[in-house]
Amino acid sequence: MRNANPDIIPLIKQKTLALLMEKNPESIGMRDIASCCKVTATTIYHYYKDKDSLFQAIGLDCLRELNARILSEVEKAQMSHEQIFSAIYAFRDWCFENPRRALLVMQGIKSASDAAPALVEEFYVCNRTGEKLLKKAMDEGKAFSENPRLDVGILVSGLWGCIESVLLKKSEVEYWENGAEFTERFITLWAKSIFREN
């Protein structure tokens, strides 16, 4: 049995991500990836059962990077409601700063819905961060939600829909270069349903 080479996995991911920045996932084959890595396709199959599992691993890396950005911004805020807004804006800003990666993660890479539940759960890392923040605000009496997981899921899905409309130029033309204003309206509507009036 071949010994695993821990150095090859970062190389495979790096080269594959570079390809994904230029081509759609369906246009990339394992031989393309192998060629970029200067290894055989068999070598890549030693680490990933197919290209979808490799793409999903890269998607998870992107989500972890996004979640790290969210947590970094949250640390700068003190009040629970400010932390929620910091998380929301970190999510939005990362997507606008990394449009190709955001589109890949949110729509381009095949869902891992047939994976083990523990792996599927990893794809919700940002949602779980938002859920913890919302529950904290609820514990402090600053927010109201009958179902924090659902409300955060609606926030992420709805906000992504707004971001996607801007990135794909499907929003009104005046927002193609002003995604912050376009998304702010959705954020405000969501926040009004969650935060209590003092």
Side-chain angles (χ1 to χ4, degrees):
M1 183 173 182
R2 180 188 304 178
N3 291 327
N5 177 357
D7 297 329
I8 196 74
I9 293 175
L11 175 67
I12 292 169
K13 286 182 173 181
Q14 176 192 2
K15 296 296 186 181
T16 304
L17 180 58
L19 282 172
L20 287 166
M21 293 299 99
E22 299 171 2
K23 300 179 178 181
N24 291 328
E26 60 273 11
S27 301
I28 301 170
M30 285 297 236
R31 287 196 170 127
D32 300 318
I33 298 165
S35 177
C36 288
C37 296
K38 298 185 179 1
V39 298
T40 65
T42 304
T43 299
I44 298 177
Y45 280 116
H46 180 72
Y47 299 96
Y48 300 97
K49 69 177 183 176
D50 54 32
K51 73 174 189 176
D52 287 332
S53 63
L54 171 54
F55 294 165
Q56 288 159 3
I58 291 169
L60 271 178
D61 287 347
C62 291
L63 287 169
R64 290 181 188 117
E65 176 189 318
L66 169 55
N67 196 56
R69 168 81 171 268
I70 290 169
L71 292 172
S72 174
E73 293 302 314
V74 165
E75 285 180 7
K76 298 174 186 175
Q78 294 185 2
M79 305 295 289
S80 59
H81 68 282
E82 293 171 347
Q83 291 178 336
I84 290 173
F85 280 109
S86 293
I88 292 169
Y89 294 134
F91 175 89
R92 181 192 68 187
D93 294 347
W94 183 90
C95 290
F96 281 138
E97 290 164 15
N98 302 281
R100 180 74 182 171
R101 279 194 281 168
L103 287 164
L104 282 167
V105 170
M106 297 300 283
Q107 72 176 32
I109 295 174
K110 181 181 174 188
S111 170
S113 57
D114 58 348
L119 178 60
V120 173
E121 178 64 19
E122 289 185 52
F123 284 90
Y124 294 89
V125 61
C126 299
N127 291 55
R128 299 302 173 254
T129 295
E131 190 178 346
K132 286 177 189 171
L133 293 171
L134 180 52
K135 285 179 177 177
K136 178 183 175 188
M138 290 167 62
D139 290 344
E140 294 175 2
K142 301 292 186 184
F144 173 79
S145 172
E146 292 181 4
N147 188 335
R149 181 164 291 189
L150 174 62
D151 285 332
V152 169
I154 288 168
L155 168 64
V156 171
S157 297
L159 181 54
W160 169 249
C162 294
I163 293 167
E164 181 186 40
S165 293
V166 172
L167 293 178
L168 299 180
K169 300 195 181 324
K170 293 185 176 180
S171 64
E172 294 290 338
V173 175
E174 61 261 36
Y175 300 110
W176 289 1
E177 302 300 326
N178 191 5
E181 184 179 347
F182 188 75
T183 53
E184 188 67 33
R185 181 65 176 147
F186 175 80
I187 294 167
T188 300
L189 291 170
W190 182 86
K192 282 182 179 177
S193 72
I194 295 296
F195 293 110
R196 297 179 186 273
E197 295 289 335
N198 290 327

